[in-house]
Amino acid sequence: MCTENENRVIELATSKEYTESTLAILRNEMEIKREIRLHFIEELKRLAKQKGLDFTYDEGLIHFWDNQWIVFSQPSVSKKWNVYIGWNKHNKSDGVRYGISRQFTIDTQPIPADKLMQIPHVWTEAPQDEEYPCGWAYLRGKDGKTGNWWNWFDIATLEDMANGTMLHFIETEIIDKVIDGHLLKKVQEILPD
């Protein structure tokens, strides 16, 4: 929004006619942000269904507790390996990562290097390892390098959730790469359950 428009919004929002409504919005800021996150989760569910994937998420995402994950899975291909988007800490840029993992399984034994070399290294921000055999990357912004998408309280992040920018990134940079590259199948074949 340009400065002229911002000034006009502020002028209207603080006018006698709209002050009560403005204050009601401010009092309900957290609930409004929560609702935007809920709508975004619904969009992710629709995306998963459209792509033939199962979708689960941790309720803590909406309330913003630590250690929360979004999971896209394809049980007909693998019961262990899934696509994860999640974080250890929601308020730090190094907290949100994505990639193929077996996060919630107990046996995360080291994978021999010769087996890892057979798996495509798709997300190269981190090396391939037993937790993320295709590597992983941080969820930052639409260019993949900068931005605050790791912070689901951030106004720009909420805007990108609402306008479809983040959904498009997740679809093209994560889900389509997994589906088009048959990555779950490749990982499953090399590292069976």
Side-chain angles (χ1 to χ4, degrees), residues 3 17 34 40 43 52 62 73-74 105 113 122 128 133 138 154 181:
T3 304
E17 183 180 358
R34 189 184 80 74
F40 180 65
E43 290 297 315
I62 306 308
S73 59
Q74 199 171 23
T105 60
V122 178
Q128 296 170 279
Y138 290 120
D154 183 76

Side-chain angles (χ1 to χ4, degrees), residues 23-39:
L23 293 173
I25 290 169
L26 293 174
R27 273 191 296 275
N28 292 292
E29 174 190 7
M30 295 309 290
E31 186 60 27
I32 292 168
K33 289 179 176 183
R34 189 184 80 74
E35 284 297 312
I36 291 170
R37 291 192 295 266
L38 274 171
H39 290 299

Side-chain angles (χ1 to χ4, degrees), residues 164-177:
T165 302
M166 188 187 290
L167 182 70
H168 177 74
F169 180 89
I170 289 172
E171 180 177 7
T172 59
E173 297 302 316
I174 304 172
I175 301 303
D176 285 350
K177 285 184 177 185

Side-chain angles (χ1 to χ4, degrees), residues 75-125:
S76 62
V77 174
S78 178
K79 298 202 184 327
K80 184 186 288 185
W81 296 100
N82 302 296
V83 178
Y84 286 90
I85 303 171
W87 47 73
N88 300 320
K89 302 169 281 302
H90 68 267
N91 58 354
K92 298 196 179 205
S93 61
D94 64 349
V96 183
R97 66 180 69 168
Y98 58 87
I100 292 176
S101 185
R102 56 181 180 188
Q103 284 282 323
F104 300 116
T105 60
I106 306 238
D107 62 344
T108 51
Q109 302 166 4
I111 299 168
D114 63 322
K115 285 195 174 197
L116 275 179
M117 289 174 34
Q118 297 172 45
I119 299 170
H121 192 182
V122 178
W123 300 290
T124 58
E125 196 158 339

